[in-house]
């Protein structure tokens, strides 16, 4: 998304604090130098699975010609995409072409298919979008696993409306992915309210409750720079996440919970 985000993610992978990251091909900051720097982290020893972060929301722009609808030449904001998807007003063929274009761009940049495929702002879970998303992945990258966002029972806080929506959307997504022969991560955690009062070091331990082997925890570490500020409202919280993951406190939380990061294999499976 931005140079500061890229830098933070690479540092955490190098330090053994992350074992997966996904790439936004429509973003301006995934040129050849960034690709090489990320790939070098896996030279000799695979430190991280590398996936495609399918991007279909503003302020990013389509990579394919003729995509619609647009808002000022860019994808619609996520709330607009949700309304369009829920009322079945998206064009599945145009979605299919755009997602396939992003997947082919990943292949051209990295020289291999992604280990997994997910979606920016969870757009891949939406009705209509998931039809196109799962069709493209199953046809072009069938060995990639795809991210579902359903929590385990122990991690379901009923006062968290965002996560409840993700739970519901993931039910249909998982069953549809299975029909396409695609693997999904067995559980998901990491969603929280991006408010100034959020204390990530206090929030993180609850993500581990009941998480099974292969469970996935989403995170958003990064360093704030002008590029990030122009593209995304989540800024300083990214630095809080980076600080926690780069600290001894993170290692202590993992040890207390009996959790370790899974060794990335590049196979179609999730990573804890």
């Amino acid at each position: 998304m931005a140079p500061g985000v890229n830098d933070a993610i690479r540092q955490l992978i190098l330090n053994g604090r992350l074992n997966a990251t996904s790439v936004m091909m429509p973003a301006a900051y995934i040129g050849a130098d960034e690709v090489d720097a990320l790939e070098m982290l896996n030279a000799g020893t695979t430190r991280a699975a590398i996936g495609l972060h399918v991007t279909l929301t503003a302020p990013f722009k389509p990579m394919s010609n003729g995509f619609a609808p647009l808002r000022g030449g860019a994808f619609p904001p996520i709330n607009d995409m949700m309304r369009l998807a829920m009322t079945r007003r998206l064009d599945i063929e145009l979605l299919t072409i755009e997602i396939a274009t992003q997947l082919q761009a990943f292949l051209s940049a990295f020289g291999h298919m992604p280990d997994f495929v997910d979606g920016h702002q969870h757009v891949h879970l939406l009705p209509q979008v998931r039809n196109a998303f799962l069709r493209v992945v199953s046809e072009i990258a069938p060995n990639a696993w795809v991210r579902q966002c359903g929590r385990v029972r122990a991690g379901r806080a009923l006062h968290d409306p965002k996560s409840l929506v993700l739970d519901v959307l993931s039910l249909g997504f998982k069953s549809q992915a299975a029909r396409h022969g695609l693997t999904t991560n067995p559980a998901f955690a990491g969603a929280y309210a991006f408010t100034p009062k959020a204390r990530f070091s206090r929030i993180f331990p609850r993500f581990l409750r009941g998480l099974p082997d292969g469970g996935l925890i989403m995170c958003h570490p990064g360093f704030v720079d002008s590029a990030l500020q122009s593209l995304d409202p989540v800024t300083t919280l990214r630095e809080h996440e980076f600080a926690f993951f780069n600290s001894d406190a993170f290692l202590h939380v993992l040890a207390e919970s009996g959790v370790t990061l899974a060794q990335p294999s590049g196979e179609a499976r999730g990573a804890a």
Side-chain angles (χ1 to χ4, degrees):
M1 179 179 289
V5 172
N6 297 354
D7 184 29
I9 290 171
R10 288 197 304 268
Q11 286 190 41
L12 291 173
I13 291 172
L14 185 63
N15 293 339
R17 306 304 176 92
L18 294 183
N19 62 359
T21 188
S22 52
V23 178
M24 306 174 74
M25 296 312 300
Y29 301 100
I30 189 63
D33 289 346
E34 293 284 356
V35 170
D36 290 345
L38 189 56
E39 288 282 77
M40 280 297 295
L41 294 174
N42 282 337
T45 299
T46 302
R47 292 187 172 94
I50 301 176
L52 172 66
H53 202 51
V54 169
T55 304
L56 299 172
T57 55
F60 302 97
K61 298 179 179 180
M63 299 187 75
S64 60
N65 295 323
F67 185 88
L70 298 176
R71 300 289 188 272
F75 293 116
I78 182 59
N79 288 341
D80 286 359
M81 282 294 287
M82 289 184 68
R83 283 192 289 269
L84 291 166
M86 294 298 183
T87 54
R88 305 301 195 274
R89 288 186 290 157
L90 293 172
D91 187 313
I92 292 181
E93 183 175 355
L94 294 180
L95 287 168
T96 300
I97 292 170
E98 176 60 28
I99 295 168
T101 300
Q102 293 186 25
L103 191 51
Q104 291 293 343
F106 183 101
L107 175 61
S108 296
F110 287 87
H112 59 79
M113 285 296 177
D115 296 317
F116 64 96
V117 189
D118 57 24
H120 184 52
Q121 296 182 315
H122 313 294
V123 70
H124 65 299
L125 301 177
L126 296 176
Q128 292 195 290
V129 178
R130 67 186 179 207
N131 296 350
F133 176 91
L134 293 170
R135 174 187 169 189
V136 170
V137 177
S138 65
E139 292 181 358
I140 301 178
N143 293 323
W145 57 271
V146 292
R147 186 182 75 193
Q148 65 89 20
C149 300
R151 298 169 295 171
V152 294
R153 187 175 299 275
R156 293 179 186 173
L158 297 180
H159 62 271
D160 185 350
K162 176 181 176 180
S163 293
L164 287 171
V165 171
L166 295 179
D167 288 338
V168 172
L169 290 174
S170 291
L171 290 173
F173 180 86
K174 285 191 293 184
S175 60
Q176 196 168 337
R179 290 196 295 272
H180 280 274
L182 295 170
T183 301
T184 57
N185 49 299
F188 172 87
Y192 67 98
F194 296 132
T195 67
K197 294 182 179 180
R199 295 294 179 264
F200 190 72
S201 60
R202 297 181 183 178
I203 295 170
F204 182 84
R206 77 166 187 246
F207 297 150
L208 299 173
R209 295 174 190 165
L211 199 69
D213 287 347
L216 181 149
I217 298 178
M218 172 185 67
C219 57
H220 305 82
F223 300 129
V224 178
D225 55 23
S226 59
L228 177 63
Q229 290 173 325
S230 70
L231 292 169
D232 197 80
V234 183
T235 53
T236 55
L237 287 176
R238 294 180 185 270
E239 295 194 341
H240 295 169
E241 290 196 24
F242 175 86
F244 174 71
F245 286 124
N246 207 40
S247 70
D248 290 341
F250 172 56
L251 301 180
H252 292 157
V253 169
L254 293 184
E256 289 174 356
S257 301
V259 173
T260 59
L261 294 183
Q263 176 63 37
S265 64
E267 298 174 354
R269 63 189 65 186

